[in-house]
Short mmCIF file of all heavy atoms in Angstrom, two decimals:
data_model
loop_
_atom_site.label_atom_id
_atom_site.label_comp_id
_atom_site.label_asym_id
_atom_site.label_seq_id
_atom_site.Cartn_x
_atom_site.Cartn_y
_atom_site.Cartn_z
N LEU A 1 28.64 -64.59 -86.49
CA LEU A 1 27.99 -65.53 -87.31
C LEU A 1 26.65 -65.78 -86.87
O LEU A 1 26.42 -65.96 -85.61
CB LEU A 1 28.72 -66.84 -87.48
CG LEU A 1 30.09 -66.95 -88.19
CD1 LEU A 1 31.15 -66.48 -87.25
CD2 LEU A 1 30.34 -68.33 -88.78
N ASN A 2 25.63 -65.83 -87.70
CA ASN A 2 24.26 -66.47 -87.38
C ASN A 2 24.31 -67.93 -87.96
O ASN A 2 24.44 -68.07 -89.12
CB ASN A 2 23.21 -65.62 -87.94
CG ASN A 2 23.11 -64.33 -87.28
OD1 ASN A 2 23.40 -64.20 -86.07
ND2 ASN A 2 22.54 -63.33 -87.87
N LEU A 3 24.24 -68.88 -87.04
CA LEU A 3 24.09 -70.28 -87.50
C LEU A 3 22.54 -70.72 -87.48
O LEU A 3 21.77 -70.22 -86.74
CB LEU A 3 24.85 -71.15 -86.52
CG LEU A 3 26.34 -70.67 -86.31
CD1 LEU A 3 26.96 -71.65 -85.30
CD2 LEU A 3 27.13 -70.86 -87.65
N ILE A 4 22.42 -71.76 -88.42
CA ILE A 4 20.91 -72.19 -88.54
C ILE A 4 20.96 -73.59 -88.94
O ILE A 4 21.90 -74.15 -89.62
CB ILE A 4 20.26 -71.29 -89.70
CG1 ILE A 4 18.82 -71.64 -89.75
CG2 ILE A 4 20.94 -71.45 -91.06
CD1 ILE A 4 17.97 -70.70 -90.65
N GLU A 5 19.90 -74.29 -88.56
CA GLU A 5 19.77 -75.71 -89.01
C GLU A 5 18.38 -75.69 -89.57
O GLU A 5 17.34 -75.19 -88.98
CB GLU A 5 19.83 -76.61 -87.81
CG GLU A 5 19.53 -78.08 -88.29
CD GLU A 5 19.73 -79.06 -87.20
OE1 GLU A 5 20.20 -78.69 -86.11
OE2 GLU A 5 19.40 -80.27 -87.34
N GLN A 6 18.17 -76.17 -90.69
CA GLN A 6 16.90 -76.17 -91.43
C GLN A 6 16.30 -77.50 -91.61
O GLN A 6 17.04 -78.56 -91.68
CB GLN A 6 17.07 -75.37 -92.79
CG GLN A 6 17.54 -73.96 -92.81
CD GLN A 6 17.47 -73.35 -94.13
OE1 GLN A 6 16.43 -72.85 -94.52
NE2 GLN A 6 18.63 -73.27 -94.78
N GLU A 7 14.99 -77.66 -91.73
CA GLU A 7 14.34 -78.83 -92.07
C GLU A 7 13.17 -78.48 -93.21
O GLU A 7 12.31 -77.66 -92.86
CB GLU A 7 13.69 -79.38 -90.87
CG GLU A 7 12.96 -80.78 -91.14
CD GLU A 7 12.49 -81.34 -89.80
OE1 GLU A 7 12.17 -80.59 -88.86
OE2 GLU A 7 12.48 -82.66 -89.66
N GLU A 8 13.34 -79.09 -94.32
CA GLU A 8 12.45 -78.70 -95.48
C GLU A 8 12.44 -77.26 -95.65
O GLU A 8 11.31 -76.63 -95.89
CB GLU A 8 11.11 -79.32 -95.10
CG GLU A 8 10.93 -80.84 -94.96
CD GLU A 8 9.54 -81.35 -94.59
OE1 GLU A 8 8.68 -80.39 -94.52
OE2 GLU A 8 9.35 -82.52 -94.54
N GLN A 9 13.60 -76.72 -95.82
CA GLN A 9 13.80 -75.27 -96.11
C GLN A 9 13.17 -74.27 -95.18
O GLN A 9 13.02 -73.06 -95.41
CB GLN A 9 13.20 -74.90 -97.60
CG GLN A 9 13.68 -75.86 -98.70
CD GLN A 9 15.22 -75.75 -98.81
OE1 GLN A 9 15.61 -74.67 -98.80
NE2 GLN A 9 15.89 -76.81 -99.09
N ARG A 10 12.96 -74.81 -93.90
CA ARG A 10 12.48 -73.93 -92.85
C ARG A 10 13.42 -74.04 -91.74
O ARG A 10 13.85 -75.03 -91.30
CB ARG A 10 11.01 -74.34 -92.40
CG ARG A 10 10.02 -74.17 -93.54
CD ARG A 10 8.61 -74.63 -93.00
NE ARG A 10 8.15 -73.58 -92.21
CZ ARG A 10 7.06 -73.56 -91.58
NH1 ARG A 10 6.13 -74.49 -91.79
NH2 ARG A 10 6.65 -72.61 -90.65
N PRO A 11 13.66 -72.91 -90.97
CA PRO A 11 14.54 -72.89 -89.76
C PRO A 11 14.02 -73.76 -88.67
O PRO A 11 12.87 -73.65 -88.32
CB PRO A 11 14.61 -71.45 -89.32
CG PRO A 11 14.09 -70.56 -90.64
CD PRO A 11 13.21 -71.41 -91.19
N LYS A 12 14.92 -74.66 -88.24
CA LYS A 12 14.60 -75.45 -87.20
C LYS A 12 15.26 -75.06 -85.75
O LYS A 12 14.68 -75.28 -84.73
CB LYS A 12 15.09 -76.82 -87.54
CG LYS A 12 14.80 -78.08 -86.51
CD LYS A 12 15.25 -79.31 -87.03
CE LYS A 12 14.97 -80.42 -85.95
NZ LYS A 12 15.51 -81.72 -86.45
N ALA A 13 16.43 -74.38 -86.05
CA ALA A 13 17.09 -73.82 -84.84
C ALA A 13 18.08 -72.79 -85.30
O ALA A 13 18.53 -72.89 -86.40
CB ALA A 13 17.86 -74.96 -84.10
N LYS A 14 18.32 -71.78 -84.38
CA LYS A 14 19.24 -70.63 -84.67
C LYS A 14 20.11 -70.35 -83.38
O LYS A 14 19.71 -70.66 -82.36
CB LYS A 14 18.51 -69.39 -84.99
CG LYS A 14 17.66 -69.47 -86.19
CD LYS A 14 16.90 -68.05 -86.46
CE LYS A 14 16.05 -68.19 -87.83
NZ LYS A 14 15.28 -66.85 -87.93
N ALA A 15 21.33 -69.97 -83.75
CA ALA A 15 22.14 -69.53 -82.69
C ALA A 15 23.25 -68.60 -83.10
O ALA A 15 23.55 -68.48 -84.43
CB ALA A 15 22.86 -70.81 -82.10
N LYS A 16 23.86 -67.79 -82.24
CA LYS A 16 24.86 -66.80 -82.51
C LYS A 16 26.15 -67.42 -82.25
O LYS A 16 26.37 -68.20 -81.31
CB LYS A 16 24.79 -65.59 -81.76
CG LYS A 16 23.39 -64.78 -82.18
CD LYS A 16 23.37 -63.56 -81.30
CE LYS A 16 21.99 -62.74 -81.66
NZ LYS A 16 21.93 -61.48 -80.91
N ALA A 17 27.17 -67.11 -83.11
CA ALA A 17 28.57 -67.60 -82.87
C ALA A 17 29.54 -66.49 -83.13
O ALA A 17 29.28 -65.59 -83.90
CB ALA A 17 28.80 -68.86 -83.77
N LEU A 18 30.72 -66.66 -82.49
CA LEU A 18 31.71 -65.57 -82.58
C LEU A 18 33.08 -66.31 -82.93
O LEU A 18 33.43 -67.39 -82.29
CB LEU A 18 32.00 -64.76 -81.26
CG LEU A 18 30.73 -63.91 -80.79
CD1 LEU A 18 29.91 -64.80 -79.79
CD2 LEU A 18 31.17 -62.60 -80.16
N LEU A 19 33.78 -65.61 -83.83
CA LEU A 19 35.21 -66.19 -84.19
C LEU A 19 36.23 -65.01 -83.81
O LEU A 19 36.21 -64.05 -84.48
CB LEU A 19 35.20 -66.47 -85.60
CG LEU A 19 36.66 -66.93 -86.20
CD1 LEU A 19 37.02 -68.29 -85.40
CD2 LEU A 19 36.50 -67.19 -87.57
N TYR A 20 36.91 -65.25 -82.83
CA TYR A 20 37.94 -64.20 -82.35
C TYR A 20 39.18 -64.32 -83.20
O TYR A 20 39.55 -65.45 -83.85
CB TYR A 20 38.18 -64.47 -80.86
CG TYR A 20 37.13 -64.28 -79.89
CD1 TYR A 20 36.30 -65.17 -79.34
CD2 TYR A 20 36.75 -62.86 -79.70
CE1 TYR A 20 35.18 -64.96 -78.60
CE2 TYR A 20 35.64 -62.60 -78.91
CZ TYR A 20 34.88 -63.64 -78.28
OH TYR A 20 33.82 -63.34 -77.48
N ALA A 21 39.96 -63.34 -83.17
CA ALA A 21 41.06 -63.17 -84.01
C ALA A 21 42.13 -64.24 -83.80
O ALA A 21 42.70 -64.88 -84.70
CB ALA A 21 41.71 -61.79 -83.82
N SER A 22 42.33 -64.64 -82.54
CA SER A 22 43.37 -65.65 -82.16
C SER A 22 42.98 -66.96 -82.77
O SER A 22 43.82 -67.76 -83.37
CB SER A 22 43.42 -65.82 -80.76
OG SER A 22 42.31 -66.07 -80.10
N SER A 23 41.67 -67.39 -82.74
CA SER A 23 41.24 -68.64 -83.23
C SER A 23 41.24 -68.52 -84.78
O SER A 23 41.63 -69.59 -85.43
CB SER A 23 39.85 -69.07 -82.71
OG SER A 23 39.86 -69.21 -81.41
N ARG A 24 40.90 -67.51 -85.32
CA ARG A 24 40.83 -67.33 -86.80
C ARG A 24 42.30 -67.46 -87.30
O ARG A 24 42.59 -68.22 -88.37
CB ARG A 24 40.29 -66.01 -87.14
CG ARG A 24 40.09 -65.85 -88.64
CD ARG A 24 39.56 -64.43 -89.08
NE ARG A 24 40.52 -63.43 -88.99
CZ ARG A 24 40.52 -62.45 -88.03
NH1 ARG A 24 39.50 -62.46 -87.16
NH2 ARG A 24 41.46 -61.51 -88.04
N HIS A 25 43.24 -66.88 -86.65
CA HIS A 25 44.66 -66.96 -87.27
C HIS A 25 45.14 -68.38 -87.11
O HIS A 25 45.80 -68.87 -88.08
CB HIS A 25 45.53 -66.12 -86.31
CG HIS A 25 45.26 -64.54 -86.55
ND1 HIS A 25 45.00 -64.03 -87.84
CD2 HIS A 25 45.27 -63.61 -85.75
CE1 HIS A 25 44.93 -62.73 -87.69
NE2 HIS A 25 45.06 -62.43 -86.41
N ARG A 26 44.81 -69.03 -86.02
CA ARG A 26 45.31 -70.49 -85.89
C ARG A 26 44.58 -71.37 -87.01
O ARG A 26 45.29 -72.16 -87.50
CB ARG A 26 44.90 -70.90 -84.40
CG ARG A 26 45.38 -72.38 -84.33
CD ARG A 26 45.16 -72.74 -82.74
NE ARG A 26 43.89 -72.22 -82.18
CZ ARG A 26 42.74 -72.68 -82.28
NH1 ARG A 26 42.61 -73.84 -83.03
NH2 ARG A 26 41.66 -72.13 -81.75
N ILE A 27 43.23 -71.18 -87.18
CA ILE A 27 42.58 -72.11 -88.09
C ILE A 27 43.17 -71.79 -89.48
O ILE A 27 43.22 -72.67 -90.35
CB ILE A 27 41.16 -71.84 -87.96
CG1 ILE A 27 40.69 -72.20 -86.61
CG2 ILE A 27 40.38 -72.77 -89.02
CD1 ILE A 27 39.15 -72.05 -86.32
N SER A 28 43.12 -70.47 -89.87
CA SER A 28 43.48 -70.11 -91.32
C SER A 28 44.90 -70.59 -91.54
O SER A 28 45.31 -70.83 -92.71
CB SER A 28 43.27 -68.62 -91.48
OG SER A 28 44.10 -67.90 -90.60
N LYS A 29 45.82 -70.50 -90.58
CA LYS A 29 47.22 -71.03 -90.80
C LYS A 29 47.23 -72.51 -91.04
O LYS A 29 48.02 -73.02 -91.82
CB LYS A 29 48.04 -70.69 -89.54
CG LYS A 29 49.52 -70.93 -89.71
CD LYS A 29 50.23 -70.59 -88.44
CE LYS A 29 51.74 -71.00 -88.63
NZ LYS A 29 52.56 -70.47 -87.42
N LYS A 30 46.31 -73.12 -90.34
CA LYS A 30 46.29 -74.71 -90.63
C LYS A 30 45.69 -75.08 -91.94
O LYS A 30 46.14 -75.94 -92.67
CB LYS A 30 45.52 -75.32 -89.48
CG LYS A 30 45.31 -76.78 -89.54
CD LYS A 30 44.49 -77.46 -88.59
CE LYS A 30 42.98 -76.96 -88.41
NZ LYS A 30 42.22 -77.64 -87.47
N LEU A 31 44.61 -74.29 -92.41
CA LEU A 31 43.86 -74.70 -93.54
C LEU A 31 44.23 -73.88 -94.82
O LEU A 31 43.87 -74.21 -95.89
CB LEU A 31 42.27 -74.45 -93.23
CG LEU A 31 41.77 -75.36 -92.22
CD1 LEU A 31 40.30 -75.11 -92.08
CD2 LEU A 31 41.95 -76.94 -92.39
N GLY A 32 44.84 -72.77 -94.67
CA GLY A 32 45.29 -71.92 -95.77
C GLY A 32 43.96 -71.37 -96.39
O GLY A 32 42.97 -70.93 -95.65
N ASP A 33 43.93 -71.13 -97.65
CA ASP A 33 42.90 -70.47 -98.40
C ASP A 33 41.52 -71.33 -98.31
O ASP A 33 40.47 -70.81 -98.45
CB ASP A 33 43.21 -70.43 -99.99
CG ASP A 33 44.24 -69.37 -100.19
OD1 ASP A 33 44.39 -68.39 -99.33
OD2 ASP A 33 44.94 -69.38 -101.14
N THR A 34 41.70 -72.70 -97.92
CA THR A 34 40.50 -73.51 -97.79
C THR A 34 39.58 -72.95 -96.62
O THR A 34 38.38 -73.07 -96.74
CB THR A 34 40.98 -74.96 -97.35
OG1 THR A 34 41.76 -75.45 -98.46
CG2 THR A 34 39.78 -75.77 -97.30
N PHE A 35 40.22 -72.29 -95.62
CA PHE A 35 39.48 -71.78 -94.56
C PHE A 35 38.39 -70.70 -95.07
O PHE A 35 37.27 -70.75 -94.70
CB PHE A 35 40.33 -71.15 -93.51
CG PHE A 35 39.66 -70.35 -92.41
CD1 PHE A 35 38.95 -71.00 -91.48
CD2 PHE A 35 39.76 -69.00 -92.56
CE1 PHE A 35 38.33 -70.21 -90.44
CE2 PHE A 35 39.06 -68.19 -91.45
CZ PHE A 35 38.31 -68.80 -90.56
N TRP A 36 38.87 -69.90 -95.92
CA TRP A 36 38.04 -68.75 -96.36
C TRP A 36 37.06 -69.33 -97.47
O TRP A 36 36.03 -68.61 -97.65
CB TRP A 36 38.84 -67.62 -96.97
CG TRP A 36 39.81 -66.99 -95.90
CD1 TRP A 36 41.25 -67.06 -95.91
CD2 TRP A 36 39.27 -66.27 -94.93
NE1 TRP A 36 41.52 -66.44 -94.80
CE2 TRP A 36 40.49 -65.87 -94.10
CE3 TRP A 36 38.15 -65.85 -94.47
CZ2 TRP A 36 40.45 -65.09 -92.98
CZ3 TRP A 36 38.02 -65.08 -93.17
CH2 TRP A 36 39.17 -64.75 -92.51
N SER A 37 37.38 -70.40 -98.03
CA SER A 37 36.37 -70.94 -99.04
C SER A 37 35.18 -71.61 -98.30
O SER A 37 34.15 -71.64 -98.75
CB SER A 37 37.10 -72.04 -99.88
OG SER A 37 38.10 -71.52 -100.61
N ILE A 38 35.51 -72.08 -97.02
CA ILE A 38 34.40 -72.68 -96.23
C ILE A 38 33.69 -71.61 -95.44
O ILE A 38 32.44 -71.62 -95.38
CB ILE A 38 34.99 -73.69 -95.24
CG1 ILE A 38 35.68 -74.89 -96.09
CG2 ILE A 38 33.97 -74.23 -94.29
CD1 ILE A 38 36.40 -75.91 -95.27
N MET A 39 34.36 -70.65 -94.94
CA MET A 39 33.66 -69.63 -94.10
C MET A 39 32.95 -68.59 -94.92
O MET A 39 33.45 -67.48 -95.13
CB MET A 39 34.68 -68.89 -93.22
CG MET A 39 35.37 -69.88 -92.06
SD MET A 39 34.09 -70.42 -90.91
CE MET A 39 33.74 -68.94 -90.05
N ARG A 40 31.83 -69.06 -95.42
CA ARG A 40 31.01 -68.13 -96.23
C ARG A 40 29.51 -68.46 -96.03
O ARG A 40 29.17 -69.61 -95.70
CB ARG A 40 31.29 -68.13 -97.70
CG ARG A 40 31.21 -69.62 -98.22
CD ARG A 40 31.86 -69.62 -99.75
NE ARG A 40 31.78 -70.88 -100.32
CZ ARG A 40 32.29 -71.12 -101.54
NH1 ARG A 40 32.78 -70.23 -102.16
NH2 ARG A 40 32.08 -72.40 -102.06
N GLU A 41 28.62 -67.54 -96.39
CA GLU A 41 27.23 -67.65 -96.15
C GLU A 41 26.69 -68.85 -97.02
O GLU A 41 27.08 -68.88 -98.17
CB GLU A 41 26.52 -66.40 -96.40
CG GLU A 41 26.89 -65.31 -95.42
CD GLU A 41 26.12 -63.89 -95.75
OE1 GLU A 41 25.46 -63.89 -96.58
OE2 GLU A 41 26.35 -63.03 -94.90
N GLY A 42 25.78 -69.56 -96.45
CA GLY A 42 25.19 -70.67 -97.24
C GLY A 42 26.00 -71.98 -97.08
O GLY A 42 25.48 -73.04 -97.45
N GLN A 43 27.19 -72.00 -96.50
CA GLN A 43 27.97 -73.18 -96.35
C GLN A 43 27.62 -73.97 -95.09
O GLN A 43 27.50 -73.45 -94.03
CB GLN A 43 29.54 -72.75 -96.37
CG GLN A 43 30.34 -73.84 -96.23
CD GLN A 43 30.41 -74.87 -97.43
OE1 GLN A 43 30.63 -74.30 -98.56
NE2 GLN A 43 30.10 -76.06 -97.31
N GLU A 44 27.55 -75.23 -95.31
CA GLU A 44 27.32 -76.09 -94.14
C GLU A 44 28.68 -76.59 -93.60
O GLU A 44 29.58 -76.84 -94.25
CB GLU A 44 26.53 -77.31 -94.52
CG GLU A 44 26.06 -78.16 -93.31
CD GLU A 44 25.10 -79.24 -93.69
OE1 GLU A 44 24.77 -79.44 -94.91
OE2 GLU A 44 24.59 -79.94 -92.72
#
């Protein structure tokens, strides 16, 4: 993932993030389909 924080539609900060399989399985099991609805580009 490329994470971003914007101010007035301009990047204020950027960072890289990684989601490993173990964490993904645990989170998606807890949230169900909601997890994939949130994990998408443009979502805060």
Side-chain angles (χ1 to χ4, degrees):
L1 294 80
N2 285 335
L3 303 178
I4 188 171
E5 182 177 350
Q6 299 191 81
E7 185 175 28
E8 297 181 356
Q9 303 301 317
R10 298 185 65 180
K12 183 178 180 181
K14 295 181 180 181
K16 294 179 180 180
L18 297 94
L19 178 62
Y20 293 103
S22 57
S23 296
R24 186 181 74 249
H25 291 321
R26 177 172 44 80
I27 299 172
S28 61
K29 184 178 180 180
K30 178 180 67 173
L31 300 180
D33 289 339
T34 300
F35 171 72
W36 297 110
S37 299
I38 295 175
M39 293 296 292
R40 58 187 180 184
E41 295 178 357
Q43 179 66 54
E44 190 171 2

